[in-house]
Amino acid sequence: MPPQLSKCIYISCKEFSHPWGDSCTSATTGLGLHALQECLRIYSTVYVVALLMKGKVPSKGDVKKTILGILQSTAFLSWSAFSYSMFICTLRRVLGNFNVLSVSFLPSFLSSLSAIFIERPSRRTLLCLYVSNIVSRLGGIEVFNYAICAQLAINLFFDIKKIIKKPLLIKSVIFKKGNLNLAVFLGGFAGLYRVLSNTIALYFMWKALQLLWNDLAEKKIVPEVKGFAIFLYCFSTAVLFHVAILEPQFLRSSYWKFLYAISGGRVAVMSRIPLDAFGLESTKHLADVLRKTNTTDKRNYVF
């Protein structure tokens, strides 16, 4: 990884996340309102098609369930977009700067964590499988690096009191063998996918592993890991948003267009110029992606 990744960049939110407006509140609201409209359109189509595919006249109960499902899923995804922008600005205010994790990874992780509990429990595992599929299609070394960073951040957070009392403990926290577990699993799995698998096979493999683990947990052979699907969903989504901002060349064109539509093009307008300090050539790669996907960063917004 380039040494520039350890840099902090001292810029305002406007210079990076919402160059079209001065106000964090206004920019966040604008993104949220656009996402609300787009998500309502998407989920209305999905739920109505699913209802019609049953091949029978829907009952009042079916119609009510469909409407509630549309509203709940719309609230989930639109809150993800709204809170992503909110957490970018909030973390900048708290930290006083941006670093390679706070420009997108951490805001996305926090927004996903706050949003996933809005969605129906029955859909959370499916969402986890979906975003994990997409992440598994990423440059395996990149996923390995992101996972190490995430694991270190988590360990440092939970051991902060011990480190304050005994600063020398930070070495043992950083070089703990267990730090590699998540990275080896996700990085190795992504690399394996690139060599052996495809999207459908990967989906069924994830589902088979989940069912196998649940069965073994019921038999007390392996421990039950509560909330793992939620954590994996938040981590996978955070990786995707991190890549979309810093290394968009690794993102599938279809997913880039999805983010572009949900954000009303704001994902492209967010300025990558300050982020070039991290040494990833984000501005150059964004231009390539815009040409490839026929999207643009020349958009004007009321707020």
Side-chain angles (χ1 to χ4, degrees), residues 116-151:
I116 192 64
F117 292 102
I118 298 175
E119 185 57 284
R120 290 180 297 162
S122 60
R123 282 181 49 82
R124 293 172 190 170
T125 300
L126 293 176
L127 285 167
C128 171
L129 294 171
Y130 171 70
V131 293
S132 297
N133 280 345
I134 299 175
V135 166
S136 296
R137 294 179 70 104
L138 299 176
I141 293 176
E142 282 76 12
V143 178
F144 181 88
N145 290 334
Y146 299 148
I148 285 182
C149 291
Q151 188 68 62

Side-chain angles (χ1 to χ4, degrees), residues 1 16 18 31 36 39 52 54 100 121 132 141 154 160 173 190 202-203 227 233-234 237 244 253 268 273 280 292 294:
M1 295 175 69
F16 158 55
H18 48 85
L31 173 58
L36 182 64
C39 294
L52 294 177
K54 292 182 177 180
V100 73
S132 297
I141 293 176
I154 292 170
I160 190 66
V173 173
L202 185 64
Y203 175 87
Y233 166 76
C234 295
T237 304
S253 295
I273 295 175
L280 298 174
K292 180 181 177 182
N294 196 29

Side-chain angles (χ1 to χ4, degrees), residues 45-66:
T45 303
V46 170
Y47 277 86
V48 169
V49 169
L51 182 63
L52 294 177
M53 286 182 66
K54 292 182 177 180
K56 62 178 183 179
V57 178
S59 64
K60 289 184 179 179
D62 291 332
V63 173
K64 181 180 179 180
K65 185 177 179 180
T66 297

Side-chain angles (χ1 to χ4, degrees), residues 126-185:
L126 293 176
L127 285 167
C128 171
L129 294 171
Y130 171 70
V131 293
S132 297
N133 280 345
I134 299 175
V135 166
S136 296
R137 294 179 70 104
L138 299 176
I141 293 176
E142 282 76 12
V143 178
F144 181 88
N145 290 334
Y146 299 148
I148 285 182
C149 291
Q151 188 68 62
L152 283 174
I154 292 170
N155 289 348
L156 289 171
F157 176 78
F158 284 109
D159 290 333
I160 190 66
K161 290 184 179 179
K162 295 179 181 178
I163 293 172
I164 292 175
K165 293 180 180 179
K166 296 182 180 180
L168 293 178
L169 287 177
I170 193 170
K171 183 177 179 180
S172 63
V173 173
I174 292 176
F175 293 102
K176 188 186 299 183
K177 184 179 179 181
N179 288 342
L180 295 176
N181 292 345
L182 180 63
V184 169
F185 171 71

